[in-house]
Amino acid sequence: MESEPLLTGSMNYDPDNNDHLEKGSPKTRRLSSVAADYCCVEGGDEDLYLQQAVVFIEDAIQYRSINHRVDANSLRLYRWYYSRIWQLGLGLTIAVVLMLAFIERPSSFSYTSDPRFRPPPWEPPCGLTEGIEIVCLVIFAIDFATKSYLIGWEEFRKCKWLIVYILAVSASVIDWALTLSMYCDQNLRVRRLIRPFFLLQNSSLMKKTLKCIKRTLPEIASVILLLALHLCLFTMIGMLLFAKGENPKQNGEWEAYFRDLPTSFSSLLVLLTTANNPDVMIPAYSLNRGYSIFFILFSGFGTYFLMNLLTAIVYNQFRGYLLMSVQASILRRRLGVRAAFEVMSCQGWGQDATHSEENVERVRVDASLQVMARVQMKSYYRQAIIKRVQQLSDGFIQWEAFRRLFDELDKDRIKEHPPKPEYNSSLLQGLQLLFCHYYVTVVGNAVALANVMCICTILVLDSEKSIAERDDYYMEVINCFFILYYLMEMSLKILAFGWRGYLSYRNNIFDGLLTVCLLVLQITIFATYRLPFPKWNPASRGLMSLWEMVRLVNMLIVVRFLRIIPDIKLMALIASTLVDLVKNLRAFAGILVVIEVDLYLFLYSVMSNSSMKNITVECGSYEQLGYWPNNFDDFASSLVLLYNVMVVNNWQVFMDAYTRYTTQWSKVYFVSWWLTSSVMWVNLFVALILENFIYKWDRSVMCSVADVERTGYETTVQLMFREQIQEPTEEELVTQLHQHPHLHLS
């Protein structure tokens, strides 16, 4: 879950922190100017300043704002709020409250979503989901109260997100009470529309994404208008070109696609997505090949020019805003580091580059080590920073050196594998030398490929046979041979590298885990069916049938073949790019989920598919294609339906069916979802995949496969744009620090 800055703007002075102050005067830190070999803090609690420095550095690491209360009690509350336990609990609470949609009426607990075969779904008893929900709402109330206290009342009134947050919690509680008062017989539950907001407000990156969309829409309005003009002009030309004639046999195009204005417009809109190509042109094209020019011109200009231009503009505007956001994040990091330096700093005499003595700010090395020992951060970054601090010999750190310490956060982590075990036996030394060699991995990949090829060959030979006709004796013998080899390979690698060394390689963990699973399955087969012998009966039953167990073994063997990915540089980069997208770009998927859930919940009562009872035989219709499982009858099937519309293949079938069974306004719903998901979000995902991959490729182009394996690329959105941003100036940092509402530095 993304760390969310509480506020980025200035905040008013905290009236609770006025100890030792005269009325109307701010609290100041008084620092002693002493000899160059030692300095200390006067007039305040040094432990408090160290605690402030710890929190400021944690803010810098997570790109959070430092504008929050800084007294001792508030800092303890602040660290608890951003602790892993509370943030994980808050994330689980959000997940639970969103997952309630699967359980609440209409429940998604049925093995099929097809209304023709679906049994009556299980319905939860009244009070079950409501009890879970009220616990979640109480946690949200605690979260809101904590945030509000940490930023203060004055800034709370200026923060729109927090105001909406309390309104959302309050409205949910009221609607929850109404549900209980009606004995859970409430058809319209307003709080279902509110739930996605809890996911939205807890992610700073999702908020930035929404703000970016808001700023991007005016920029792409001209292209959208041009696209609408393109559709309207070709719609009118199409209605004129394919008007109803005197010969009924030549009216196929008019009857199917250009009967009236809404039908003509929707036909060409679907053609813009290529979903109904070439169906839409076949009736006219059968009469005269010249009609194809109309459809080719429409698709060529609309699909390949305007739609791609729209994608380019959306990406460019979004990327520009994201770059500004990253710039602000870097400013928050530098400001947090500077604030930590200020609260730890003391005055002393030092020398600049020209060897002239001057009064400079600096921090003690021992104080820096105390702070870094208490900061919550990844251990390898902490060790790298502490190592650099310990290399300083004069006992003090000036600002530039202190700032450069945290450049370690932007560096790639080089994984050092544990040392190999030492053996006295020459045989063990020879085996260790052999199985540490890279070619052993190459041979293992070749054996895995041979295993997959054997499975593929047997599957092709037995593709026409039923389970009763299959003889899995040969497949089982082949699997036994390969599994024994995998077990031997894993054991000898553990011997060569040692347990810790073996597990320090991610591909070894994947390989070893699947090998253990294969071994367990094979032992289970032996225990159930004894040793393999010809004419095994695949349909004979133990815990599972022999065919089912062999099939499971074969699937694991096929999955195990993915072990080749880390050994091919380009494939390794692609795989790590996908992992980074899951870890760091989930905010974009979160926005899509929010919109998808809200659209479903808003239109469920209108677009329920349970009324579709008439069976038509029209070719290509919803009924003829058997699309019955795609409906809005419950939450799970609705997600699948909206996903199918996002893919756009045959999405006109869903739009036509719901238009026939509900109203023409259903088209607005499907078109809105298509614009939001397919045009906006899918293109953004493609663009961000490119950004992530290019970033990694540029950094690893000079690396070998082994270097890529050893390098832990911590790819975040901030690092992807790191080289394109500007460092904040000293004046900007000082100005921001003096505007801090609770930390007043002399």
Side-chain angles (χ1 to χ4, degrees), residues 180-243:
L180 287 185
S181 65
M182 301 173 67
Y183 301 100
C184 305
D185 195 23
Q186 184 183 12
N187 292 327
L188 179 61
R189 300 185 180 185
V190 178
R191 63 184 184 277
R192 289 181 175 177
L193 299 175
I194 300 175
R195 288 172 186 167
F197 171 80
F198 299 128
L199 173 65
L200 184 63
Q201 66 83 31
N202 200 57
S203 170
S204 59
L205 192 54
M206 289 175 67
K207 295 177 184 177
K208 292 174 184 178
T209 306
L210 281 183
K211 194 173 182 180
C212 165
I213 294 172
K214 180 182 176 181
R215 295 190 178 188
T216 303
L217 286 178
E219 301 293 335
I220 64 174
S222 57
V223 180
I224 293 178
L225 288 175
L226 185 59
L227 190 63
L229 180 62
H230 170 72
L231 277 169
C232 292
L233 288 178
F234 272 85
T235 297
M236 290 185 288
I237 294 173
M239 292 183 69
L240 293 171
L241 197 61
F242 306 112

Side-chain angles (χ1 to χ4, degrees), residues 506 565 569-585 685-698 700 708 713 715-716 720:
R506 287 169 293 185
I565 290 178
K569 181 178 178 180
L570 184 58
M571 292 179 65
L573 286 175
I574 293 173
S576 60
T577 300
L578 295 177
V579 172
D580 279 332
L581 286 172
V582 174
K583 291 191 300 183
N584 300 312
L585 303 179
F685 264 115
V686 171
L688 289 165
I689 287 173
L690 291 175
E691 284 285 347
N692 195 305
F693 178 77
I694 292 172
Y695 169 80
K696 285 198 170 187
W697 178 260
D698 291 341
S700 62
V708 172
Y713 293 109
T715 307
T716 62
M720 285 165 53

Side-chain angles (χ1 to χ4, degrees), residues 559-602:
V559 172
R560 188 182 179 278
F561 184 65
L562 296 177
R563 58 171 280 170
I564 68 170
I565 290 178
D567 300 317
I568 301 176
K569 181 178 178 180
L570 184 58
M571 292 179 65
L573 286 175
I574 293 173
S576 60
T577 300
L578 295 177
V579 172
D580 279 332
L581 286 172
V582 174
K583 291 191 300 183
N584 300 312
L585 303 179
R586 56 192 179 275
F588 305 100
I591 292 287
L592 192 64
V593 170
V594 168
I595 297 175
E596 187 170 359
V597 171
D598 266 340
L599 284 175
Y600 156 68
L601 294 174
F602 181 71

Side-chain angles (χ1 to χ4, degrees), residues 41 58 118 204 309 351 381 392 470 576 585 609 668 717:
V41 178
E58 290 176 350
R118 181 182 57 208
S204 59
L309 180 62
Q351 293 184 345
Y381 288 138
L392 301 173
R470 296 190 180 192
S576 60
L585 303 179
N609 195 31
V668 177
V717 177

Side-chain angles (χ1 to χ4, degrees), residues 330-454:
I330 296 300
L331 175 61
R332 287 195 293 271
R333 169 167 286 186
R334 299 293 178 257
L335 193 60
V337 173
R338 180 69 188 195
F341 179 82
E342 289 291 337
V343 297
M344 291 193 300
S345 66
C346 51
Q347 301 292 331
W349 294 99
Q351 293 184 345
D352 60 9
T354 60
H355 303 285
S356 61
E357 292 189 349
E358 62 176 4
N359 200 334
V360 296
E361 285 186 324
R362 56 196 184 166
V363 299
R364 304 197 312 268
V365 168
D366 61 332
S368 301
L369 292 175
Q370 291 181 46
V371 168
M372 293 310 303
R374 294 164 60 180
V375 170
Q376 293 183 0
M377 61 189 305
K378 294 181 178 179
S379 59
Y380 44 86
Y381 288 138
R382 188 204 314 276
Q383 293 170 4
I385 294 174
I386 290 178
K387 182 178 180 181
R388 291 189 59 178
V389 172
Q390 291 173 340
Q391 292 174 351
L392 301 173
S393 57
D394 59 354
F396 295 97
I397 311 175
Q398 297 185 15
W399 161 239
E400 284 300 324
F402 189 82
R403 181 187 63 81
R404 287 195 295 269
L405 290 176
F406 296 91
D407 291 341
E408 297 289 336
L409 299 174
D410 297 331
K411 294 181 180 180
D412 297 323
R413 177 171 65 98
I414 304 300
K415 183 190 301 182
E416 297 295 337
H417 298 293
K420 300 172 185 176
E422 297 181 359
Y423 298 108
N424 296 325
S425 171
S426 57
L427 175 61
L428 293 179
Q429 291 176 355
L431 289 175
Q432 183 180 43
L433 181 63
L434 175 63
F435 279 88
C436 286
H437 201 281
Y438 173 71
Y439 287 117
V440 173
T441 303
V442 175
V443 172
N445 292 337
V447 172
L449 176 61
N451 194 356
V452 172
M453 294 300 295
C454 290

